[in-house]
Amino acid sequence: MVHVFAQHGAGGECVECALPDDGALVRDSKTSGVPVVAFGSEPWLSFIRALRHRTSAE
């Protein structure tokens, strides 16, 4: 199963993520034709944990 979501920042930054069962696919949704960056499950989960830790510390 794949879940897709987009996040838009205050400065116009746009990121689109697809979450297949084995990691994450990320791209700049404003720019067509750009490559997708693929992350395995462990690196992606580590990234998400770091974001949560940073957010909760602020």
Side-chain angles (χ1 to χ4, degrees):
M1 176 181 252
V2 176
H3 300 281
V4 177
F5 62 92
Q7 180 64 45
H8 306 281
E13 307 87 1
C14 299
V15 175
E16 185 176 65
C17 298
L19 302 175
D21 292 333
D22 59 348
L25 305 170
V26 182
R27 71 178 182 142
D28 180 350
S29 60
K30 295 184 312 178
T31 309
S32 62
V34 296
V36 172
V37 179
F39 296 93
S41 294
E42 286 305 314
W44 182 252
L45 291 174
S46 178
F47 173 69
I48 296 301
R49 282 186 209 108
L51 288 177
R52 287 182 180 156
H53 177 73
R54 180 177 176 210
T55 301
S56 65
E58 291 180 358

